[in-house]
Amino acid sequence: MKLKKKFLLLILNITLIFLYHDRLDAYSLNVHEKITEQVIKQNEAKLNKYLVNIGLINGVEEELKSGNDTRKVRKWIAYGSWKEDLNWNLLNNPLFSHFYNPLTNKSGVGDTWFSAYDWANASINPWSWRAARNKFYEGLTLKIKAEREKALADAFRAIGHVIHLVEDVAVPAHTKGDLHISEPYEKYTDKNIGSLSYASVPFQYWNVSISPSAPKQFWDLESYNGSIPYGSGYIGLAEYTNANFASSDTIFSETLLGLDSHYFPFPMKSSSILYEGTNSQGKKTKYFKIIKESENIEHFAVAGRFYDIFEGWPNLQRSFISLDDKCHDDYQKKLIPRAVGYSAGLLDYFFGGEIDMVPDKETGSGYVIENNSEEDMNGTFELWYDDENDARKIAWKSPDNFSIGKKGKSTNITFTSPTDAKEPCKYILVFRGQMGQEQGAVVGKIVKAIECVTGRIVSIAGSRIIVRLKGLVLETNIPEATWQQTAKAIRFD
């Protein structure tokens, strides 16, 4: 019997995907891609800095090949965002797993499905947050150059898939479990894609680490529990959307019984006023304006022709309240900028780790690793280099559970310089482990060993030489033959 039920569920799953896929989305595929392109454009300088630091000298314009497909980094991220609505398998239906109700931490459209946040972490999701981290690590460390390139392309695509799942909770229906074929707000944004508000409203708590997997703060900071609405500040995007906006079947639903799937405490009708305005066609229309809660919305909802007849019958009146284009436009002016801002924060978080390897000034030899991040790091640090055939090899590896506190540095480390390096003294430092609360974080940085750092001679007396390298003074007796050999690796002023 259980097998039969699962089979029927599978058939229903496949049928819904093929029949209604293009009408059950949140933002359309094109709107998702457009939002993500704006995220990249508005954060291009920061992205370029990080990408250059891992060897992608053209930043977001760097071309990467995966299979038969070659795209720039910016396009791989946007492509992942576009592709997520087509990301399904026999155990999951993205039409339902792109919902997240912050009051229950579940999808809200049937608890058999993943929520948007759970899907971002699901082991069966080939484009999950963990997949992005793993592919990124492979892109920094795989032996064969073409395989590294493919892994990086796949990592950036996976980031785009997860960004899509953040953007989805900037749609009221997707935070209130309100499943519709042909969702009106989605239709409006798709129709007006060229005139939507893409300016970013930054999310200042992007670097708060509160979960061991995908950074949950972008969906839900557990601040809103239905008692007091929040408009900004310490609040996840799903919380903001749920508390301040309505979908077709959840307008002023606070009068419903708590067990009703359309019941939500906010926004409340008592926080609004009803006034007469004009709709987008110039016709007189009665609008509800939210004035008392955290977000003042001029055109929150429309009172229909028969609304006044059922005065005193709030649940009947609800049947004559709807949303029109002016409502949708007011909504998108607040929601899309936050979709941009929160998605930009997700990118910042993914690339948020900062590490470096510098000479150990205290001992005068060897190196220390600096953790310049705002989070403690505990895991494995590795030093990689490319040989003359572009094969990536490891030069040094720390012990497991090697810890460096935030804004701290390691103990002294030493290693033997390889003799087959394509570019002597050039390495990529890679961290993999726990950063803050997140397990499996990955950080990379191109570093130079001291013997290749530009310096200047302070003084020479016979075989005694004093050299200043980036503020570090080296003083030693060097036999002339050794000095001649060493000088090849140091450029003196």
Side-chain angles (χ1 to χ4, degrees):
M1 193 69 183
K2 288 184 177 179
L3 184 62
K4 182 178 180 181
K5 183 178 180 181
K6 289 182 178 178
F7 178 76
L8 291 174
L9 187 62
L10 173 61
I11 296 299
L12 175 62
N13 191 3
I14 295 173
T15 301
L16 285 170
I17 287 173
F18 283 102
L19 290 181
Y20 300 115
H21 178 271
D22 62 334
R23 287 174 283 173
L24 283 168
D25 296 338
Y27 293 117
S28 70
L29 300 179
N30 292 332
V31 172
H32 272 294
E33 187 174 33
K34 184 74 171 179
I35 293 173
T36 306
E37 287 174 348
Q38 290 297 316
V39 169
I40 298 167
K41 181 179 180 179
Q42 294 176 32
N43 293 273
E44 190 167 329
K46 285 191 293 184
L47 281 173
N48 283 341
K49 180 180 178 181
Y50 188 86
L51 295 173
V52 169
N53 281 342
I54 61 169
L56 302 181
I57 60 174
N58 295 312
V60 295
E61 301 300 323
E62 187 84 17
E63 289 192 340
L64 299 171
K65 184 178 182 180
S66 177
N68 296 321
D69 200 353
T70 300
R71 300 172 189 266
K72 296 178 179 180
V73 170
R74 65 162 69 247
K75 292 298 183 181
W76 276 118
I77 298 173
Y79 178 67
S81 179
W82 180 87
K83 196 75 172 176
E84 171 56 27
D85 275 328
L86 306 175
N87 179 24
W88 68 280
N89 59 48
L90 298 181
L91 298 176
N92 175 67
N93 187 335
L95 305 181
F96 304 116
S97 61
H98 289 191
F99 288 70
Y100 181 83
N101 180 351
L103 298 179
T104 63
N105 296 326
K106 295 180 180 179
S107 169
V109 289
D111 293 341
T112 58
W113 308 106
F114 291 99
S115 71
Y117 178 70
D118 290 337
W119 180 236
N121 291 298
S123 60
I124 64 168
N125 180 1
W127 303 106
S128 67
W129 179 262
R130 185 60 50 227
R133 287 296 200 197
N134 291 340
K135 289 295 182 182
F136 189 57
Y137 177 77
E138 292 176 359
L140 300 178
T141 62
L142 285 176
K143 180 178 180 179
I144 300 172
K145 184 177 181 180
E147 292 180 357
R148 294 198 301 273
E149 183 178 334
K150 180 183 185 302
L152 285 176
D154 291 346
F156 295 130
R157 173 181 166 177
I159 294 169
H161 279 261
V162 179
I163 284 175
H164 178 117
L165 296 172
V166 172
E167 293 168 355
D168 269 346
V169 295
V171 175
H174 277 241
T175 67
K176 297 193 168 187
D178 195 4
L179 188 63
H180 280 269
I181 295 175
S182 192
E183 206 283 315
Y185 176 70
E186 179 273 322
K187 286 178 63 179
Y188 176 83
T189 55
D190 189 41
K191 180 181 177 181
N192 296 278
I193 187 172
S195 59
L196 300 178
S197 301
Y198 296 106
S200 175
V201 173
F203 176 49
Q204 60 180 320
Y205 299 102
W206 63 268
N207 61 343
V208 176
S209 182
I210 64 169
S211 52
S213 47
K216 193 177 182 182
Q217 62 267 29
F218 296 98
W219 289 267
D220 189 356
L221 270 165
E222 304 289 354
S223 294
Y224 173 61
N225 60 12
S227 60
I228 301 174
Y230 288 85
S232 59
Y234 194 79
I235 187 171
L237 184 54
E239 295 172 288
Y240 170 79
T241 305
N242 182 287
N244 294 287
F245 301 89
S247 58
S248 296
D249 290 338
T250 63
I251 306 170
F252 299 140
S253 59
E254 74 277 8
T255 59
L256 299 175
L257 295 176
L259 296 177
D260 192 303
S261 63
H262 293 128
Y263 166 81
F264 288 94
F266 293 99
M268 299 177 67
K269 185 178 175 184
S270 59
S271 298
S272 71
I273 59 171
L274 188 62
Y275 74 99
E276 187 171 83
T278 55
N279 64 17
S280 56
Q281 287 79 42
K283 296 181 179 179
K284 290 183 178 181
T285 305
K286 288 185 177 180
Y287 286 101
F288 290 95
K289 176 181 179 179
I290 299 294
I291 59 171
K292 295 181 181 179
E293 289 167 6
S294 52
E295 280 290 6
N296 293 336
I297 302 175
E298 184 74 23
H299 305 95
F300 178 78
V302 174
R305 181 180 302 176
F306 302 108
Y307 170 81
D308 292 331
I309 296 176
F310 295 97
E311 183 69 33
W313 300 82
N315 290 334
L316 284 175
Q317 280 189 314
R318 287 186 65 252
S319 302
F320 301 98
I321 304 175
S322 61
L323 305 173
D324 69 2
D325 282 357
K326 276 202 168 181
C327 300
H328 293 143
D329 192 56
D330 279 7
Y331 282 24
Q332 69 86 14
K333 286 176 181 177
K334 294 179 180 293
L335 289 167
I336 289 184
R338 283 170 173 78
V340 173
Y342 278 71
S343 298
L346 187 73
L347 274 178
D348 285 340
Y349 184 90
F350 189 88
F351 297 117
E354 294 184 41
I355 56 177
D356 203 354
M357 185 183 77
V358 298
D360 188 345
K361 296 180 181 180
E362 294 181 6
T363 65
S365 64
Y367 304 88
V368 293
I369 297 173
E370 293 180 338
N371 172 13
N372 298 316
S373 310
E374 297 293 337
E375 302 280 1
D376 296 340
M377 289 182 170
N378 180 53
T380 303
F381 291 84
E382 301 166 339
L383 203 60
W384 297 78
Y385 73 98
D386 294 337
D387 72 8
E388 295 164 347
N389 298 312
D390 281 326
R392 188 150 290 181
K393 298 179 178 180
I394 193 162
W396 173 84
K397 182 178 180 179
S398 76
D400 294 339
N401 300 317
F402 194 80
S403 295
I404 308 177
K406 62 181 180 180
K407 302 298 183 181
K409 62 183 180 180
S410 71
T411 54
N412 182 272
I413 65 169
T414 59
F415 60 93
T416 302
S417 300
T419 59
D420 60 344
K422 181 178 181 180
E423 296 183 57
C425 318
K426 181 180 179 181
Y427 302 89
I428 182 163
L429 178 64
V430 179
F431 165 78
R432 190 183 200 186
Q434 182 173 348
M435 185 168 67
Q437 297 298 316
E438 185 190 353
Q439 303 284 345
V442 178
V443 184
K445 170 76 183 296
I446 297 288
V447 296
K448 288 283 186 78
I450 193 172
E451 61 264 29
C452 295
V453 177
T454 302
R456 65 184 178 85
I457 297 174
V458 176
S459 67
I460 299 176
S463 64
R464 190 169 186 79
I465 180 173
I466 300 177
V467 182
R468 183 179 294 278
L469 303 174
K470 279 193 171 180
L472 177 67
V473 176
L474 302 179
E475 181 176 350
T476 186
N477 286 310
I478 305 177
E480 185 176 352
T482 304
W483 179 84
Q484 292 290 344
Q485 184 178 1
T486 305
K488 294 177 182 178
I490 305 177
R491 186 174 77 247
F492 299 104
D493 293 336

